[in-house]
Amino acid sequence: MADVEKENLKNLEEKQKSRPGTGSQGKVSKPPSAGSGPASRPHSRTSPAPSRKSVSRNGSARSSAKGRPGSKISNMSGDVSDQSDNEDTRSKTTMEEGDGEGSDGYDTDLEIEDKRIEYDSTGRTTYKEACKQIGVVPVSYFLRHMQDSELVMMHHGLGPLGAKAIATSLVTNTTILKLNLRDNWLEAQGGKYIAEMLVENCYIHDLDLSYNKIGNDGAEPIAEMLQDNSTLDRVLLSGNGFGDKAAEAFAEAIMSNQKMEEMDLSHNEFGEVSGGLLGPAIAENSQMKVLDLSWNHLRRKGALAVSEGIRDNITITHLDLSWNGFGDDGAEAIGDALKSNKTLEFLDMSNNRISTEGAVLLAKGLIENDTLRVLKMGKNPMQSAGCYGVLKGISQNEKSAIQELDFSDILVNDDFDELLKQVKEMLPALLVKTGGAAKDFKKAKPRADPMTKLKQYVEKNNLRLVDLFNQFDKDKSMSVTREEFAQGIEATGIDLSPDELNRLLDTLDKDGDGEIEYGGIGELVFGAQAHQEQERKMAKTIAQDVLTALRMHIEKRGLRMWDVFRAMDEDGSMTVSREEFRVGIRNTGIELEDEELDVLIDYLDKDGDGDIDYEELVEGAEESAQETEDEAGGGDDGGGEEDGEDEEEDA
């Protein structure tokens, strides 16, 4: 052993002599004994000697571009991660070769002086590399806001590839908690990239992908992600063209997800089939608090299924079902749901084709419900009677929690106002919004056209035109001045204001010479009788068709024409203005063009006084029914009309 130690010492001394900078004497220091520290050097602790070797832990320079093992997104950018690994390999080789052979110094990683590649929690480096590989221009806004907790990137036109690059970098991002990519034309593929990213990312809890044209194909990967995601608590997917196929996928997600508290599926294309799928899922969900299904096409069957889901749900507090065509059957189903549901606080049923009858049926649920605080039912053809029914239901519930009622665009009458005063004694904080009081919307009666008044005077007094003109033409010249004509009109007692008289004179004095000739009056008043008669017949046909449709529309709802007119006639005068009639017809729910409604009003206002009384309405309806019966070939037994109605009901 002594010989071996001497031989080793001799070899060590030779090596020390061969190193540069050992001094002129070539003295060799002894090797450190076991357990002793390294030999002292004339260098500071923070400035290592050239011969010092630095050792780092394995994997400390791993690039942040690497995602989790097996991640779909981590492979999106191709060789991004491989490039980082190559850089690590080159760095390690350089460190090993830098000290030369025979170096015996050892240091901890606390004294590493080499520049390290730090972990990039934002994914900035990964994003740039992904953009290069995919072939898209990096979005500077995204780069500037990658460290924000809320990233809002609406209307940036990212498209599917832009979404792919962003999704790649967000896999490892730990700073963004709210992601808003609203209106970026992501389409189905872009939605898929975002969904795959959210499988890996466990930090984002608020997601908005509204108005991105994701469609049914993109809905499936998003729904699959939601089934297992335990981070997202708010998901907005409005306006993406989702239909019945997407509803099936989302129904599974709603049923399985136990984290999401708010979901927006409004402005999509969910129909009756979708309602049948979503209803049971809503019943099973035990976490969601806010659900928006407005502006879809749930209609009757879908409405019934969703209503049943709401009846059994135990967590939803805010529900928007507006603009879905629920109708009276859907309103009744919601009323039944309100009897059992004990969590709902906000309900929007605006513009759902709910008539007076439907409003009364819904109100039955309000008699028993003690949690609902806000109810919106504006823009429904329920009229003042429907609003009254809803308010009546609330008045019968001593435990009612209602704080706000919205009856926007619905005119209410004095009966409603009286009941409201009584309800406010019970609920002083109650806020009620209506379309206004009907009496406030009464307009001044429009005066008939002056030429029409002149014609009516002649016909009513059984006069000839020449007789009227002769009263004005004192000198028998067959022409009169404007002053003479004005004096003659005043003498007849025809009710014309100064403005109407001037308009009549301007019409008759066509050449502007100040003289009115008999021939001109005849031409203007009766000259175009053939043309006027043709227009009158056409208008009558249109009006009678509209009346027929209106009558059948009303009868299908178990109402009479008298019921409709009484709802219009707020003051009980048996007469309504043209504007009141227009609003009343709109409130029945029948769809009419403005031109059709104008023709109907002109047809019914036979005396041209600007008002429509009940007798005029009944007369017009009877004429319409007779015309329909004649066209159907009905006989004296009157069976034509009844048969026609039966056929319509069967259809």
Side-chain angles (χ1 to χ4, degrees), residues 75-225:
N75 297 324
M76 285 184 182
S77 57
D79 299 329
V80 176
S81 299
D82 296 339
Q83 181 177 352
S84 177
D85 291 340
N86 292 336
E87 291 177 356
D88 292 345
T89 304
R90 289 196 297 271
S91 176
K92 182 177 179 181
T93 304
T94 302
M95 287 191 296
E96 291 177 349
E97 295 176 352
D99 293 327
E101 297 180 359
S103 176
D104 297 319
Y106 294 94
D107 293 320
T108 67
D109 57 1
L110 297 177
E111 296 180 330
I112 295 174
E113 284 77 22
D114 289 327
K115 184 177 180 181
R116 288 191 186 181
I117 301 176
E118 297 182 356
Y119 177 75
D120 183 8
S121 62
T122 64
R124 177 185 292 268
T125 303
T126 306
Y127 177 63
K128 291 181 178 179
E129 292 295 338
C131 288
K132 184 184 299 183
Q133 294 292 332
I134 296 171
V136 296
V137 177
V139 180
S140 60
Y141 181 89
F142 180 59
L143 290 169
R144 291 197 306 271
H145 295 275
M146 292 181 74
Q147 295 183 350
D148 296 350
S149 61
E150 181 175 3
L151 177 64
V152 180
M153 287 190 64
M154 299 186 294
H155 324 303
H156 278 260
L158 295 175
L161 294 181
K164 180 178 182 180
I166 286 179
T168 303
S169 63
L170 290 182
V171 168
T172 56
N173 184 286
T174 61
T175 60
I176 296 175
L177 305 180
K178 296 182 178 181
L179 178 61
N180 185 342
L181 297 179
R182 193 182 187 93
D183 186 26
N184 271 292
W185 286 78
L186 301 186
E187 299 180 339
Q189 194 62 38
K192 179 181 178 182
Y193 292 139
I194 298 298
E196 290 174 351
M197 175 272 294
L198 290 169
V199 172
E200 304 294 327
N201 185 295
C202 58
Y203 292 90
I204 296 174
H205 67 83
D206 190 309
L207 176 67
D208 189 347
L209 295 180
S210 301
Y211 299 99
N212 271 300
K213 301 184 181 297
I214 294 174
N216 290 331
D217 293 337
E220 187 172 350
I222 292 177
E224 289 178 357
M225 175 273 295

Side-chain angles (χ1 to χ4, degrees), residues 68 176-177 198-207 225-226 228-235 257-261:
R68 300 180 185 178
I176 296 175
L177 305 180
L198 290 169
V199 172
E200 304 294 327
N201 185 295
C202 58
Y203 292 90
I204 296 174
H205 67 83
D206 190 309
L207 176 67
M225 175 273 295
L226 290 175
D228 300 322
N229 187 283
S230 60
T231 307
L232 287 169
D233 53 33
R234 183 170 182 262
V235 179
N257 188 289
Q258 296 301 318
K259 174 64 178 177
M260 184 168 51
E261 296 184 356

Side-chain angles (χ1 to χ4, degrees), residues 393-409:
I394 295 172
S395 69
Q396 298 174 14
N397 183 358
E398 296 180 354
K399 297 182 179 180
S400 176
I402 287 289
Q403 297 177 352
E404 180 180 343
L405 288 173
D406 189 343
F407 298 127
S408 297
D409 295 340

